[in-house]
Amino acid sequence: MRRNNKVRNVLSPVLASAVVAAVATAAWSSSAHSQRLGDLLGSAKKVAQAATVTDEQMVTYFSQMSDEMDRQNQIAPAKNPYAVRLAKLTAGLPSYDGLDLDIKAYLVNDINAFAMGDGTVRVYSGLMDKFTDDEVRCVIGHEIGHVKLQHGQKRLRRALQQDAALSVAGTASSGARRFTSSELGGLIQNVLSAQHSQAAETASDDYALTFMTNKGYPQQACPAAMDKLAALGGGGGIGLLKTHPDPAQRAKRMRAKIKS
């Protein structure tokens, strides 16, 4: 109950600000004023609705996004060499840090990987072609870091607040909404395909180093993976380079951290 009161206290200034802004337009005609007031209150309402989405609903939204990604990309069958290799290098990793994991390979020739708030982890075959087992493990740890540090969750909540087409009206009491394929495409673009901030990358890199230590994997695989990304950077079209900062600088920083 304390949590709900806190949410209401935070949101009431948002609604109040919308009303004040509408009143300031009183010089307009009454019809224009009414329309403006409705638009502002509607926007404030969407912010309020997105802010009150529960953790369980967020997981459901991530699951919908994961299903959409799986629909768009071919998952390696269990006996496929990529699936066999990934199963071996992630043996003993059904969960980590309280997150149940569903780790699979995409048969996609891109150097990329991602994780979502429902525990989905997908590693692209193009990345597996270039990286050693331990380097793949570091990438997985890094992507789990984005989930555990709430980076994707914050992006999803922001997308729900900002896009009028993604109204979550009624979900607070009646469960998670089902998004259309086109809406899921927009969410995926905002949550998975956008450039990460330097602060988020640094935090996830640190998380990956801790992940490697906790699982008994060599930390040096992390800067080694960044070195490979830096060397491949001239080719263009690499997923991890589109969404992550300069890998050479990240490798330098991680080596310094490992030595410290």
Side-chain angles (χ1 to χ4, degrees), residues 121-157:
V121 181
R122 298 292 182 261
V123 182
Y124 290 59
S125 59
L127 182 144
M128 296 179 68
D129 287 338
K130 299 294 185 180
F131 285 9
T132 68
D133 286 357
D134 285 328
E135 289 165 358
V136 172
R137 287 167 174 146
C138 178
V139 170
I140 290 172
H142 175 93
E143 296 303 327
I144 292 173
H146 280 306
V147 174
K148 294 302 298 183
L149 298 172
Q150 300 279 308
H151 299 153
Q153 290 89 325
K154 291 174 183 176
R155 282 184 171 186
L156 177 54
R157 197 176 296 279

Side-chain angles (χ1 to χ4, degrees), residues 197-248:
S197 70
Q198 186 65 55
E201 283 307 316
T202 297
S204 291
D205 282 345
D206 290 349
Y207 188 98
L209 291 175
T210 301
F211 167 84
M212 297 295 278
T213 297
N214 290 344
K215 298 301 296 182
Y217 307 141
Q219 286 187 322
Q220 288 292 347
C222 292
M226 294 301 103
D227 288 339
K228 287 185 178 179
L229 279 177
L232 293 166
I238 296 175
L240 285 181
L241 291 179
K242 292 177 181 178
T243 57
H244 292 66
D246 177 33

Side-chain angles (χ1 to χ4, degrees), residues 75-128:
I75 295 177
K79 294 184 179 180
N80 180 277
Y82 289 103
V84 172
R85 179 187 169 201
L86 189 60
K88 288 181 178 179
L89 70 87
T90 59
L93 196 61
S95 63
Y96 183 77
D97 199 6
L99 182 67
D100 292 332
L101 301 174
D102 173 28
I103 307 175
K104 294 178 182 176
Y106 279 161
L107 298 180
V108 178
N109 189 28
D110 188 13
I111 300 175
N112 210 347
F114 67 85
M116 291 206 197
D118 64 340
T120 293
V121 181
R122 298 292 182 261
V123 182
Y124 290 59
S125 59
L127 182 144
M128 296 179 68

Side-chain angles (χ1 to χ4, degrees), residues 58 61-63 65-66 69 113-118 143 146-147 150-162 166 179 183-197 200-201 243-244:
M58 292 287 282
Y61 296 145
F62 276 114
S63 293
M65 293 164 62
S66 300
M69 287 295 290
F114 67 85
M116 291 206 197
D118 64 340
E143 296 303 327
H146 280 306
V147 174
Q150 300 279 308
H151 299 153
Q153 290 89 325
K154 291 174 183 176
R155 282 184 171 186
L156 177 54
R157 197 176 296 279
R158 203 158 47 236
L160 294 175
Q161 291 174 341
Q162 294 175 348
L166 299 177
F179 292 112
E183 288 171 336
L184 288 170
L187 288 175
I188 289 169
Q189 181 67 31
N190 284 323
V191 176
L192 288 184
S193 303
Q195 178 78 35
H196 287 280
S197 70
E201 283 307 316
T243 57
H244 292 66

